[in-house]
Amino acid sequence: MAQRWDTSTSDRIPLRDAPFSGTFAVHSGGIPNDRPSRRKRLFCFSLLAAAVIAVVVASVVVAGQRSNDSLAAAASTGSTDGAAVPDSSGSSSSKEDKTVEAAGGQQAGTQEDSGGGGDDSTAGGAEPDTSQTAGSGTTSADDGEGEEQQQQQEATSSTGGSSDASSPPSSTSDGDGGEGPAPPPPAAGKPASSSGSGSGKHRGRPPPPLQPAAPVPAAAEGSGGTGLAGIGDSEGESEGIAAALPPSQEAASGSTEAAAYLIRFLAVGDWGREGKHNQSEVAELMGRVAADQPSQFIVSTGDNFYEHGLQSASDPLFAKSFMDVYTAQSLHVPWYAVLGNHDMCDNAPNCSRGMPACKYSPLHQLNFQLANREASRRWHLQRSYTRSLAGGKVDFFFIDTSPFILRYYDKQNTWAHCTGGLLTQHWQDQLVVLEAALAASAAEWKIAVGHHPTYSNGHHGNNTELVQHLEPLFEKYNVQLYLTGHDHNLEHLDRGFYSVVVTGAGSETGREQVAAAYSHYYYPYSGFVGVTIEPEMAVVDFYTLEGGDIPAHTTLINTDGSSLS
């Protein structure tokens, strides 16, 4: 007997006694095979109708999209003929006119924001806008590109306007990836045009703003490194130099044009003898000269603390030979020093094995804590380093020359083994780094500072190692002046392409002249030199205790290295 299911309950219990209605006749497999009810037929019809409607709508959308693409292609093809393209507001305008108007407005806005700087304009006038040629007209698909171009133009305009003398000259892209000279500004009232020798989406764009080169950080004071530190000033040095600038240079520093500069400093060497052997007298004269003609800094050419250097960063000798001697206020400016052989433990006892038996070490002078012992923090010393002044027009190259002197490595010189001493240095490495620094310098004046001279007519005489290794670099890279010490006298030697100035007369002197090669001036007693650097000339004044505040001798050095005494 057929079964009828009660659909009013979720348990679907068969009602055996109910009369058969034929609504849900069931086979043995339980699948209904009778005709569907009216409600189910309506439901199926609705699904079919919805599917048909969806297909129709999709067809209409696809057809409309194809129609729009065809219209856009036709408008783009006819833009060069002045074909009218309907805009979003329903009005018609020439696409060529709209492109030119947009480009001109954007260029005019860029010119107004950047103070009149043009984009790739030429001396012969503005070149035509290549975006107006057939197939390259601006369309709505270029909106993203236009925004990118606008952002780049805004970045360019933000760097426009006047620049100071230290800024690099502006340049523009020549379309081939290189940089050419900056074009002249466009005439007043004319928008800057975009030349477009490039291709792709970069056509007609202004060049990206020039970015200053990342500075090379200088080695920390007391680092003890062998390499030349990057050109620049350590903490507090630039403030000290700026405070000593002459008023004329301070006023000129804000000019947009290359201003004249004047740099004044003193140089002294072989001085550290606790005020004895005329050291205090020389220091007093230095103070008077610097007060009369303010010095921006002082150069020490080595042998700073006799006889063997310092034994610690708190060594009382630093106060006795430096702090308590150079007390004049005019001498409380940065002191830039190099190491001499006596700073490298020369003849120090018990140094064959270094510390702790030998407490002497050049590392103590390299320790930045020495500068902290004074409020002025004027002591600055590294093994080899550079300093740049006058916006890069005057560069100093400080060299540790002791490692070049081969006789110091003799087995009998046990002091070469002191901690941080000669045996830890490599003159070859220093020479490579020095040449790289000289090659990178674009300064008008290049001044080298080292303890040992290339040539000298004093007691120690010439140093053939430096003649062999340093002098070729001086000639190749136009180093005009080499400031040195070692020989305890004042001297000027002219090599034709550079001058050697010996200023090792800071304390003990009295050594007579033993030769005369290249000599233009020789003084065997105590004194120092004052140097003034200007764009066309360097003036070296030799001051002696006998002559007092008036220079005993003056040497003029030209930018080509030649001199006149």
Side-chain angles (χ1 to χ4, degrees), residues 138-229:
T138 304
T139 65
S140 61
D142 295 330
D143 289 344
E145 177 185 328
E147 293 178 0
E148 183 180 356
Q149 178 175 354
Q150 179 67 23
Q151 293 174 356
Q152 191 166 11
Q153 287 179 332
E154 291 175 356
T156 304
S157 65
S158 66
T159 61
S162 62
S163 61
D164 55 31
S166 61
S167 299
S170 60
S171 60
T172 58
S173 174
D174 57 14
D176 296 323
E179 290 185 354
K190 295 183 179 181
S193 65
S194 297
S195 62
S197 57
S199 61
K201 69 178 182 178
H202 296 288
R203 179 183 290 115
R205 285 189 177 183
L210 290 174
Q211 298 296 331
V216 180
E221 297 290 344
S223 62
T226 60
L228 289 170

Side-chain angles (χ1 to χ4, degrees), residues 66-337:
R66 289 178 178 177
S67 177
N68 291 339
D69 292 344
S70 299
L71 290 175
S76 175
T77 303
S79 62
T80 57
D81 298 328
V85 180
D87 56 20
S88 60
S89 63
S91 61
S92 298
S93 61
S94 171
K95 185 166 186 61
E96 179 179 344
D97 294 341
K98 294 177 71 174
T99 303
V100 173
E101 181 182 21
Q106 189 177 53
Q107 291 169 345
T110 302
Q111 178 185 0
E112 179 180 356
D113 293 340
S114 63
D119 297 334
D120 291 343
S121 59
T122 61
E127 295 183 5
D129 189 349
T130 57
S131 63
Q132 299 175 22
T133 59
S136 62
T138 304
T139 65
S140 61
D142 295 330
D143 289 344
E145 177 185 328
E147 293 178 0
E148 183 180 356
Q149 178 175 354
Q150 179 67 23
Q151 293 174 356
Q152 191 166 11
Q153 287 179 332
E154 291 175 356
T156 304
S157 65
S158 66
T159 61
S162 62
S163 61
D164 55 31
S166 61
S167 299
S170 60
S171 60
T172 58
S173 174
D174 57 14
D176 296 323
E179 290 185 354
K190 295 183 179 181
S193 65
S194 297
S195 62
S197 57
S199 61
K201 69 178 182 178
H202 296 288
R203 179 183 290 115
R205 285 189 177 183
L210 290 174
Q211 298 296 331
V216 180
E221 297 290 344
S223 62
T226 60
L228 289 170
I231 294 176
D233 293 319
S234 301
E235 180 181 357
E237 295 175 16
S238 58
E239 291 84 355
I241 293 177
L245 286 174
S248 59
Q249 187 172 349
E250 289 183 2
S253 62
S255 174
T256 58
E257 300 180 355
Y261 54 87
L262 185 149
I263 296 175
R264 170 93 179 156
F265 65 95
L266 305 182
V268 64
D270 302 81
W271 41 267
R273 297 183 183 273
E274 302 182 46
K276 304 173 184 177
H277 302 283
N278 288 330
Q279 183 193 3
S280 294
E281 288 78 3
V282 172
E284 182 182 359
L285 179 58
M286 289 174 62
R288 296 203 310 267
V289 171
D292 183 58
Q293 302 181 55
S295 296
Q296 294 156 269
F297 56 94
I298 296 171
V299 167
S300 172
T301 57
D303 277 2
N304 308 312
F305 300 99
Y306 285 96
E307 290 287 334
H308 319 296
L310 299 179
Q311 298 188 64
S312 70
S314 58
D315 195 327
L317 187 61
F318 182 74
K320 294 179 180 179
S321 292
F322 179 66
M323 297 170 57
D324 299 340
V325 177
Y326 303 99
T327 57
Q329 186 62 38
S330 59
L331 303 182
H332 277 268
V333 293
W335 282 59
Y336 297 116

Side-chain angles (χ1 to χ4, degrees), residues 415-442:
W415 53 270
H417 296 264
C418 76
T419 302
L422 289 174
L423 296 184
T424 65
Q425 306 304 305
H426 303 282
W427 64 266
Q428 298 94 333
D429 294 342
Q430 185 181 171
L431 195 65
V432 170
V433 179
L434 172 62
E435 181 168 13
L438 287 169
S441 173

Side-chain angles (χ1 to χ4, degrees), residues 385-456:
Y385 58 107
T386 63
R387 286 291 177 263
S388 185
L389 299 174
K393 294 182 175 61
V394 182
D395 284 351
F396 287 79
F397 303 84
F398 296 85
I399 309 168
D400 183 5
T401 56
S402 292
F404 288 85
I405 311 303
L406 297 182
R407 64 180 180 274
Y408 290 162
Y409 296 92
D410 189 279
K411 292 182 179 180
Q412 297 180 355
N413 289 341
T414 59
W415 53 270
H417 296 264
C418 76
T419 302
L422 289 174
L423 296 184
T424 65
Q425 306 304 305
H426 303 282
W427 64 266
Q428 298 94 333
D429 294 342
Q430 185 181 171
L431 195 65
V432 170
V433 179
L434 172 62
E435 181 168 13
L438 287 169
S441 173
E444 299 172 353
W445 286 97
K446 299 178 183 178
I447 301 172
V449 180
H451 180 63
H452 299 81
T454 47
Y455 293 94
S456 171

Side-chain angles (χ1 to χ4, degrees), residues 340-394:
N341 54 292
H342 283 275
D343 302 309
M344 302 282 286
C345 318
D346 193 346
N347 292 322
N350 304 319
C351 281
S352 60
R353 296 184 180 180
M355 292 183 181
C358 177
K359 296 182 179 180
Y360 293 102
S361 171
L363 300 180
H364 302 316
Q365 291 191 49
L366 298 169
N367 194 324
F368 69 92
Q369 293 294 340
L370 285 182
N372 291 338
R373 293 173 64 174
E374 291 187 294
S376 61
R377 302 187 75 252
R378 52 180 170 165
W379 182 257
H380 301 279
L381 173 62
Q382 299 172 39
R383 287 199 187 272
S384 294
Y385 58 107
T386 63
R387 286 291 177 263
S388 185
L389 299 174
K393 294 182 175 61
V394 182

